[in-house]
Amino acid sequence: MKFYIASSFKNIDKVRYVSEQLKAQGYVHTYDWTQHEKASTLEDLKQIGQQEMNAVAESDFIVVLLPAGKGSHIELGIALGLNKKVILYSPNNEINNFTTTSTFYHLSEVEKFIGSLDGLVEFLKSSAEKTFNYTKDKLI
């Protein structure tokens, strides 16, 4: 089972935590952008963008951790366009705040999870098992 996590640099610790929890269960992180510094040139941006787009395409599902930046929202759009499973995470109910929410958060293709990071990890594991008939070792 392959996954990608989209978020902003201010959520690096949360992204790493969710990634480590999933990898410990046998999931594969298609690209870990948290291992790199912020881009400093246009060429860096191009290379990172290509790696992130490839990672979304290669993933079975993506997780978007809010608050997220513009790049994360583009990755959300790429995932939706590729019919990937999308899980949108918020520690609070900001997803449903009409004045700050996004239209795309409310598409039927987007699953929302509001709560703790540990709750999100459990949700992801149980959701993947139901959706993909996933076992720890392989897809069935």
Side-chain angles (χ1 to χ4, degrees):
M1 181 68 55
K2 296 178 182 179
F3 70 94
Y4 179 77
I5 303 175
S7 195
S8 66
F9 269 96
K10 59 186 155 192
N11 286 330
I12 279 181
D13 291 337
K14 293 176 183 175
V15 171
R16 288 177 177 163
Y17 178 77
V18 172
S19 175
E20 290 305 316
Q21 296 299 308
L22 292 176
K23 290 189 303 186
Q25 294 296 313
Y27 293 72
V28 175
H29 196 168
T30 56
Y31 178 70
D32 186 356
W33 55 266
T34 71
Q35 301 301 311
H36 306 286
E37 298 293 321
K38 284 189 175 185
S40 59
T41 68
L42 293 177
E43 186 59 31
D44 289 346
L45 287 175
K46 178 181 177 181
Q47 289 176 1
I48 291 167
Q50 188 64 58
Q51 290 172 315
E52 291 177 350
M53 188 169 75
N54 292 346
V56 170
E58 186 182 339
S59 297
D60 296 306
F61 66 94
I62 76 157
V63 180
V64 180
L65 298 181
L66 296 179
K70 62 185 175 188
S72 301
H73 287 89
I74 292 167
E75 292 161 345
L76 168 68
I78 293 168
L80 289 170
L82 293 174
N83 295 313
K84 299 293 180 174
K85 181 178 177 77
V86 176
I87 299 91
L88 181 65
Y89 167 77
S90 176
N92 55 47
N93 202 27
E94 70 185 297
I95 294 169
N96 295 314
N97 180 338
F98 191 77
T99 59
T100 59
T101 195
S102 168
T103 303
F104 296 97
Y105 293 175
H106 303 282
L107 295 175
S108 59
E109 295 87 353
V110 176
E111 289 187 59
K112 295 179 260 187
F113 184 86
I114 299 167
S116 70
L117 281 180
D118 287 328
L120 171 66
V121 170
E122 289 307 313
F123 173 79
L124 292 171
K125 289 190 279 188
S126 67
S127 180
E129 289 169 5
K130 290 176 194 170
T131 303
F132 299 107
N133 292 323
Y134 179 75
T135 67
K136 194 172 182 179
D137 298 318
K138 61 183 178 184
L139 286 172
I140 298 174

